[in-house]
Amino acid sequence: MQLPCFNVYTLLVLLATAVPATAADQRLSALISKVAAQEQRYRNLEFHRHWSYQLKLPEPLLKQRKDTNLFRELQRDTHYVYQNRFYAIQARISGVQVTGDKTKIEVGIGYDGQQTRFVENGVVSLLQGKELIYQHRKPHVFLLDRLAEEPSLAELLTSPTARGYFLSMKYEAEENVKGLNCHRIRIETWVKGQKRHDYSRLWLAPERNWIPIREEGYALGYSETIPLQISEVTDWHQFADGIWFPHKIRDVIHDEQSAADGKTIIGNQSETTLTEISFSPSYDRKYFQDVPLPAEKPDRRSPKQPAE
């Protein structure tokens, strides 16, 4: 069950008084409180996301792997609406595999507070309760796609588990990243019986509303020095009231087997562009129940014109 924001604060206070806190513990607790306060502005949110993927693995290595399930390129255009406890997602996905086969998928998903309606290429599934069966994250946690199940960064940073992993957080240092003063934290991940913990380093920028601006992911089974993933915000939206929000995000994935051999070779790269951002969507509840496919109704509607 999700913890409301005020419970996150309460949890931090209890943790701080239950055991003696180090200076790093205190800094982490203060940081998470600030993250929780800032991300309340994203409770109601509407935006469009264009995501493009390119396979970068050199052809000789690609032939050695003999993996016909890989995509050479992928495109995904998605419209997201989060309104109070409701959400709706509409997406068009297309891609070309290394075999030359082409794929097209249209997805619609809506949650009206009671039921999830999922539509994929015209096939409808009705599920009771909220089902996280599609990418359900907000832009300020895109850099943590691997771990973030729900669109709350503060809850992830106080959670002992996520997506089958055990989690441990540690405040590391202050660093300057591309001219911005940032706070670096370490997120260790492991499964039961795993002796060496994989980890991510995450940089949070107070000057950008405590949004993560860079993430590096390390899998020690492959390499202790070569990150398998580097994600970073490369451009920003600045709104009239001084609110910052990601505009472009780049993800670089290094080839695992090459990293195990001590070589840094890009396996694939993707870029996200976020546009048409609104912090005050206003749709009728029926919009979250109908969830029309993009082919049936355009997904770029004004919040003042709810779906019929």
Side-chain angles (χ1 to χ4, degrees):
M1 181 177 68
Q2 282 193 341
L3 292 173
C5 184
F6 69 86
N7 279 345
V8 173
Y9 298 141
T10 303
L11 177 61
L12 291 173
V13 171
L14 291 174
L15 289 175
T17 56
V19 295
T22 66
D25 292 334
Q26 293 173 347
R27 296 196 73 171
L28 180 61
S29 295
L31 178 154
I32 295 172
S33 294
K34 291 174 181 177
V35 169
Q38 286 291 324
E39 68 177 343
Q40 288 304 297
R41 71 175 81 249
Y42 312 134
R43 182 181 178 186
N44 294 325
L45 184 64
E46 179 174 15
F47 62 93
H48 286 81
R49 179 187 188 185
H50 175 73
W51 177 81
S52 60
Y53 161 99
Q54 293 287 331
L55 183 66
K56 297 291 185 178
L57 194 66
E59 205 65 33
L61 288 180
L62 184 59
K63 290 179 179 178
Q64 289 178 15
R65 305 295 155 77
K66 298 179 181 179
D67 189 347
T68 58
N69 293 320
L70 292 175
F71 280 86
R72 287 198 180 274
E73 60 183 55
L74 280 167
Q75 303 282 333
R76 182 165 61 233
D77 287 287
T78 313
H79 176 223
Y80 294 81
V81 178
Y82 295 91
Q83 186 175 307
N84 299 321
R85 57 200 177 96
F86 306 155
Y87 68 87
I89 301 169
Q90 299 172 26
R92 294 186 184 94
I93 307 162
S94 61
V96 180
Q97 293 178 283
V98 294
T99 58
D101 294 334
K102 296 182 179 180
T103 299
K104 283 189 178 182
I105 302 173
E106 292 188 333
V107 171
I109 182 170
Y111 173 65
D112 65 356
Q114 295 180 341
Q115 187 179 66
T116 301
R117 182 176 186 268
F118 181 71
V119 185
E120 182 173 342
N121 285 347
V123 179
V124 181
S125 299
L126 297 177
L127 307 167
Q128 291 304 311
K130 180 166 61 175
E131 294 288 338
L132 304 179
I133 51 180
Y134 190 73
Q135 293 185 344
H136 176 48
R137 291 168 289 280
K138 297 181 181 179
H140 70 290
V141 292
F142 279 173
L143 271 60
L144 288 164
D145 267 358
R146 183 173 68 92
L147 296 175
E149 295 176 314
E150 293 273 10
S152 172
L153 179 58
E155 289 180 20
L156 176 65
L157 296 178
T158 56
S159 175
T161 60
R163 291 198 165 187
Y165 295 99
F166 294 102
L167 302 182
S168 174
M169 310 292 165
K170 178 183 177 182
Y171 183 91
E172 289 195 322
E174 287 189 51
E175 285 185 349
N176 190 282
V177 178
K178 294 186 176 180
L180 294 173
N181 182 55
C182 296
H183 296 267
R184 190 183 80 216
I185 63 175
R186 180 185 178 108
I187 305 175
E188 294 194 3
T189 61
W190 69 97
V191 296
K192 187 176 180 180
Q194 183 179 348
K195 295 181 179 180
R196 303 177 71 199
H197 296 180
D198 298 332
Y199 69 94
S200 295
R201 281 196 166 119
L202 187 68
W203 285 261
L204 299 162
E207 298 172 60
R208 295 295 184 267
N209 307 119
W210 291 90
I211 292 173
I213 70 166
R214 183 178 174 87
E215 187 261 353
E216 294 178 358
Y218 294 81
L220 301 189
Y222 293 101
S223 175
E224 297 182 8
T225 58
I226 299 174
L228 294 189
Q229 176 177 345
I230 299 175
S231 302
E232 60 181 350
V233 179
T234 58
D235 197 14
W236 296 85
H237 291 288
Q238 183 179 18
F239 297 89
D241 58 1
I243 298 174
W244 293 86
F245 207 70
H247 175 42
K248 291 187 177 181
I249 299 169
R250 179 185 299 121
D251 296 291
V252 176
I253 308 299
H254 291 135
D255 179 56
E256 296 173 344
Q257 295 183 34
S258 299
D261 294 332
K263 301 175 182 178
T264 304
I265 296 178
I266 296 177
N268 64 75
Q269 183 172 313
S270 61
E271 183 169 270
T272 287
T273 302
L274 302 169
T275 59
E276 300 178 57
I277 298 163
S278 169
F279 296 100
S280 55
S282 179
Y283 289 84
D284 290 341
R285 185 177 180 182
K286 194 174 189 303
Y287 173 72
F288 303 92
Q289 296 169 326
D290 287 349
V291 194
L293 283 170
E296 297 172 342
K297 286 192 177 181
D299 56 5
R300 296 174 181 266
R301 287 184 287 268
S302 164
K304 296 181 180 180
Q305 296 177 322
E308 295 296 327

